Amino acid sequence: MTIIETTADVPAPRGDRQHEGPLLEVRDLHVEFHTRDGVTKAVNGVNYSVSAGETLAVLGESGSGKSVTAQAVMGILDMPPGRIPKGEILFRGQDMLRMSAEERRALRGRKIAMIFQDALSSLNPVLSVGYQLGEMFRVHEGLSKKEAKAKAIELMDKVKIPAAAARVGDYPHQFSGGMRQRIMIAMALALEPDLIIADEPTTALDVTVQAQVMDLLAELQAEYNMGLILITHDLGVVADVADRIAVMYAGRIVETAPVHELYQRPAHPYTRGLLDSIPRLDQKGEELYAIKGLPPNLTRIPTGCAFNPRCPKAGDVCRTDVPALHQVTEQDGTELPGRGSACHFWKETIHG
Amino acid sequence: MPEKTAATAVSAETEAGATAPDDAPAAVTAKPEKARSLWSDAWGDLRRNPLFLISAGLILVLLAISAFPGLFTSASPRDADLANHYLQHPNWGHFFAPDWFGYDGQGRSIYARVIYGARASIMVGVGVTALVTIIGTIIGMAAGYFGGLTDSLLSRVTDIFMGIPFLLGALVVLTGFENRSIWVVILALVFLGWTVIARVARGAVINIKQADYVVAAKALGASTSRILLRHVLPNALAPIIVVATIALGGYIAAEATLSFLGVGLAEPTVSWGVDVSSGREQLRNAPHVLIIPSVMVSITVLAFLMFGDAVRNALDPKLR
Amino acid sequence: MAELSKNDEALVDSPDRTGVQPPAAEAKPAGTAGAPVDRGEPILRVRNLVKHFPMTQGILFKKKIGAVKAVDGVSFDLHQGETLGIVGESGCGKSTVAKLLMSLETATSGEVFYKGQDITRLSGRALKAVRRNIQMVFQDPYTSLNPRMTVGDIIGEPFDIHPEVAPKGDRSRRVQELLDVVGLNPEYINRYPHQFSGGQRQRIGIARGLALNPEIIVCDEPVSALDVSVQAQVINLMGKLQDEFDLSYVFIAHDLSIVRHISDRVGVMYLGRMAEIGTDTQIYDHPTHPYTQALLSAVPVPDPESREVRERIILSGDVPSPANPPSGCSFRTRCWKAEDKCATEVPLLAVPERFAGRDTPAAHESACHFAEEKDVVHAA
């Protein structure tokens, strides 16, 4: 049985570009928090990688560790109570965890940028949007006030904010939710980073606006040939934009797959359960499939496979052995590129 | 009302899987535990906070002293022996003896006066805090919950009282009284001090009344008094308690200040403020007469401030 | 006027006739195709419900400078044992409708008839009696339970307020029964809300809503704060409870898939008005209002195969402010079909003329001048 150490090659990402290895590679990352109730093990050995022009979706429910991983990559974890006991975060081959604070700050914003869920609280309410956008250029590139403002208008045009020149002096609360999220995207784009991490970028938005924002993000990503890590709990949003998906549960990646295959043939019972438990728009079902039980308490993660108390397939081995991320193969043994499943019974799940 | 037994909650943990298959026992916070109210969580936090333990210990001692001063000294604070003890300096080795802290300008034991003086300070502190909390909470809750005209009216009254400088106001009020007993001082401080609590209570109540659990109670048809007492007050209490405990130290300091200025308590009442006031006359040749009661005031105020701080941290973990 | 079914014809003397005057004349009792067969008098009839929040300026002398038209003439019926889904984007007024149904806000005008009695003008004892029969489940399980009360006290509170429902000695048993009904361990009775996860808390909220044996439960986004895997559990529970207690739900949500799953009929709201209302098949498979079509097409579907083939209508811009809604049809500013007529004439909620009398699922009430059937959900 092959075990995938780091996620395998990318199947046909968008756009053509020179291949130069992954942009970002997370290796065996562990994050824990020390709290009153004990040690919360938020991330327990995560591996993933993103290349330029590729969209990796990290899918998980609350407490799965998807956002904590991203915060660790950005270097914005609160430490303490957070701690990274183990792991590497390689950006273009350099371990960011070993860099000085100064070096990391230089990467942040310039090379890696982040978009948050709540645009209103991420923007400074007392500064105009144009000023905040222009700040990036004044601080990082030493442009004059006038040049910075021109750049800000250019960016607002880029993210399709109507009448950008007229609205550059407006304050965040004067924009609607969708427009604020566009401003967040503009800020992330300002210095043309190589990688964007978007943490639930459309969760707070209405469906009709959600679609606009996701389209914009995909379009800009293709234009700048950026890597994009999309963190979400929404299987629908992921299906629309991702190239590859990593499903997280209790701080580990339980399945990785190219987007089409994950939906067609999930190789982990958790993924299958998630897919079955969402109601369909195009048909009225009877009772919904529901994954029984609740997500685990991260201070007391079950032994063996963390999903075993909720899993319909769980056997004795699941209660004792932590499953590694196995390479998923066809029935005849041909490897399915980019597919992995951390389940002892992945064969039965995908082929059974 | 359901019977409350801690034991059921504990056994719930073990049986959870069997009775409610949808809710694995792992779901609930930690270890086999009892019902944990937010108050008991806060208490759990406090018990492990050294700042709390030190300040609570100090406060307990102070309370014991003010309740039973006779247990701590055999001397009387009013026995004057000018002939033998005029401004006698402290005898640091004589623990708990009448001459431990020396004697004042009238030949009275400073140790005895410090012990007996605690009662005035503690009474003023606790009394003012209790009254201020009751009055401020009622006014603040009414303003916050009913809003509209009630709020406009009560808030303007609060603003007016807030506009009066605390010490200057107390000075003016107290000058109007001939016989200033401890109650007069307490009432004067309450008269000017309730606004702080009223403001805090109003803010807390405005937040709470929008919470869904209050809306849910309304949807059930709960009466206003029920909503205020069962839902609003218990949730507004935490910030009020925090502000009140921190303010307590301030009231003690205020009493001492007023007494020092000669408008607070006066002889023959035994009080630290009174002693500080009389100590300033002999500051050069007998500084201990002034310093010892001053230090007592400082220690007491500090103890209550630390106590309030610890309580704040426990009740509002977000501040950490 | 929503769902003016045959039932109304029989109720000539019912008090609501007068209140329904102009729009009712428009709505033809065309027995909307596929509409549920005669189920007797609806348990809840909402007529022309309006809620305007005044906007004022000045501190001492409050001057009215306008109004936020949160709900601007909404009508619908709810039958015994039925689920009516109400969908719409934020700011469409769906939550205000919930508050009005619960008498938590006072309606500016319009009526809500519960079993023939207008409850919008009730107060005191009469209102309290009605509240027993209409209960609510809230969106946020973290703020809807008082953190300082035990679960037993929270679920038992309805009995304290309405002591006639359960004799004092019986309450503890009733509370434990309720916990059992919603799938929680009855021994959790002495725990506090923060000792439970989101899904468990929502079950506690549901148990509280059930305590008084209500006939109607208004659910305001009851699962949108929950994780996907827990959402399904709660949705299933709500379905089960409906069968068990013959409950009627008004299910308000922004998630169209969930609404379809649970609802018998669905109303789509936009800027305080109903854009379209009909059975779930009529709305989802045969939508005729462009807004419904856009909304449905924008829903991300968890199936990457369909993303290439599905037609997507991406609306431009955002929802206009309800303080200053566009003239005529409020959707015209984002509508690709808008013509001059839309700016001047408010389209009424009625079965579109072209479908009227025809036996097609498209023949349901839709407030559009240019209503046209278009299937956007199923891949072309």
Side-chain angles (χ1 to χ4, degrees), chain A residues 146-270:
Chain A
K146 207 169 173 185
E147 291 166 321
K149 189 177 165 188
K151 279 275 201 186
I153 295 172
E154 197 181 301
L155 269 175
M156 285 169 76
D157 269 331
K158 190 109 228 166
V159 295
K160 299 179 184 153
I161 292 174
R167 302 209 66 184
V168 69
D170 283 0
Y171 291 86
H173 69 269
Q174 292 171 289
F175 291 86
S176 67
M179 288 299 150
R180 277 199 293 266
Q181 201 53 275
R182 284 167 193 266
I183 292 163
M184 282 292 295
I185 294 175
M187 273 180 100
L189 278 179
L191 302 172
E192 302 185 11
D194 300 337
L195 176 70
I196 287 194
I197 302 176
D199 190 354
E200 306 267 9
T202 60
T203 307
L205 305 176
D206 284 318
V207 258
T208 54
V209 182
Q210 236 175 40
Q212 299 169 5
V213 171
M214 276 326 297
D215 278 12
L216 173 73
L217 206 54
E219 200 182 302
L220 293 169
Q221 183 206 9
E223 187 181 331
Y224 291 94
N225 193 28
M226 293 178 298
L228 174 66
I229 299 179
L230 177 70
I231 296 160
T232 181
H233 71 279
D234 190 328
L235 284 148
V237 169
V238 174
D240 276 0
V241 293
D243 298 311
R244 216 148 45 79
I245 298 188
V247 182
M248 282 188 77
Y249 187 80
R252 295 173 63 91
I253 289 181
V254 293
E255 178 164 9
T256 65
V259 68
H260 285 247
E261 293 188 35
L262 186 98
Y263 287 85
Q264 267 168 10
R265 294 194 298 173
H268 195 283
Y270 174 63

Side-chain angles (χ1 to χ4, degrees), chain A residues 14 60-63 176-179 203 205-212 214-215 233-243 259-261 263-264 270 274-275 277-295 310, chain C residues 88-91 94 197 199-200 226-233 235-236 254-264 280 284-285 291 294-305 307-308 310 312-319 334 377-378:
Chain A
R14 303 199 179 115
E61 298 184 274
S62 50
S176 67
M179 288 299 150
T203 307
L205 305 176
D206 284 318
V207 258
T208 54
V209 182
Q210 236 175 40
Q212 299 169 5
M214 276 326 297
D215 278 12
H233 71 279
D234 190 328
L235 284 148
V237 169
V238 174
D240 276 0
V241 293
D243 298 311
V259 68
H260 285 247
E261 293 188 35
Y263 287 85
Q264 267 168 10
Y270 174 63
L274 275 186
L275 285 169
S277 62
I278 28 181
R280 301 272 309 196
L281 195 61
D282 51 0
Q283 63 204 43
K284 191 173 179 80
E286 287 300 299
E287 187 149 321
L288 284 175
Y289 174 81
I291 302 177
K292 65 181 181 182
L294 297 161
R310 309 177 70 187
Chain C
E89 296 176 281
S90 53
K94 56 190 195 298
S197 68
Q200 289 176 312
L226 306 178
D227 273 324
V228 186
S229 71
V230 181
Q231 244 175 28
Q233 293 174 4
I235 290 281
N236 285 345
H254 69 274
D255 186 322
L256 290 130
S257 321
I258 287 174
V259 167
R260 168 157 213 185
H261 181 81
I262 197 158
S263 305
D264 303 308
D280 73 285
Y284 284 77
D285 299 340
Y291 177 62
L295 204 57
L296 285 170
S297 82
V299 175
V301 170
D303 178 6
E305 299 300 318
R307 89 170 182 224
E308 283 89 8
R310 219 156 65 100
R312 291 179 55 180
I313 306 162
I314 295 190
L315 292 179
S316 57
D318 292 300
V319 185
R334 299 172 79 193
V377 169
H378 301 85

